[in-house]
């Protein structure tokens, strides 16, 4: 239980530190864009390669990836048809991007890695499938 609390507090401390630095003006909008590109193009693929190293491809693995792709596809279709009645184009685009859950790698992988390290290969493969779709 102590390990879980320590991991949770370290995540919370990181979030609070980043918020504090932004509030003090040390981080700017441009810094966030650079950091976002580094996460998507360097950190996430490296985490995926590290996590799936030595993982055997099983039927369960393929079933979970299929379920993830199908559920994301359904959510994106729902967002598309829901957004048809909206007149503002920016809102429709935001709706499509946020409904599919494309930001899973930034938040879910660190938490799952801290609490359930053996499930990381499944989550990472699913994340990579979603991003490359």
């Amino acid at each position: 239980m102590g390990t879980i609390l320590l991991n949770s507090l370290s995540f919370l401390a990181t979030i609070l530190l980043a918020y504090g630095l932004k509030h003090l003006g040390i981080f700017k909008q441009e810094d966030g864009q650079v950091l976002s590109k580094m996460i998507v193009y360097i950190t996430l693929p490296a985490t995926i390669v590290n996590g799936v190293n030595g993982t055997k491809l099983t039927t369960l693995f393929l079933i979970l990836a299929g379920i993830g792709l199908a559920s994301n596809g359904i959510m994106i279709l729902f967002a598309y048809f829901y957004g048809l009645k909206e007149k503002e184009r920016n809102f429709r685009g935001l709706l499509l991007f946020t409904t599919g859950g494309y930001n899973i790698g930034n938040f879910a992988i660190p938490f799952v890695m801290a609490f359930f390290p053996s499930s990381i290969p499944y989550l990472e493969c699913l994340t990579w499938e979603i991003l490359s779709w």
Side-chain angles (χ1 to χ4, degrees):
M1 183 68 174
T3 305
I4 292 174
L5 287 175
L6 185 63
N7 286 336
S8 299
L9 289 175
S10 68
F11 289 131
L12 181 63
T14 304
I15 292 169
L16 291 175
L17 176 67
Y19 178 76
L21 292 174
K22 180 182 175 191
H23 186 69
L24 291 172
I26 294 172
F27 287 142
K28 297 179 178 50
Q29 183 69 26
E30 300 82 31
D31 299 332
Q33 293 170 353
V34 171
L35 186 61
S36 174
K37 287 182 181 180
M38 287 175 54
I39 288 171
V40 169
Y41 294 116
I42 297 171
T43 307
L44 185 60
T47 305
I48 292 169
V49 168
N50 186 35
V52 298
N53 187 17
T55 303
K56 294 182 179 178
L57 190 62
T58 63
T59 306
L60 176 64
F61 192 78
L62 295 173
I63 290 171
L64 290 173
I67 290 171
L69 286 173
S71 62
N72 246 340
I74 290 168
M75 291 303 292
I76 290 172
L77 284 174
F78 173 76
Y80 174 77
F81 287 116
Y82 181 79
L84 285 177
K85 66 181 181 179
E86 294 293 329
K87 294 181 181 177
E88 189 176 340
R89 185 176 181 192
N90 288 338
F91 179 76
R92 288 192 315 243
L94 179 68
L95 189 64
L96 283 173
F97 279 114
T98 58
T99 305
Y102 289 112
N103 206 10
I104 190 171
N106 292 333
F107 297 103
I109 288 177
F111 283 106
V112 173
M113 189 177 284
F115 303 124
F116 308 106
S118 62
S119 63
I120 285 299
Y122 298 104
L123 180 64
E124 288 173 342
C125 184
L126 185 61
T127 303
W128 187 251
E129 284 293 324
I130 291 168
L131 287 175
S132 63
W133 187 37

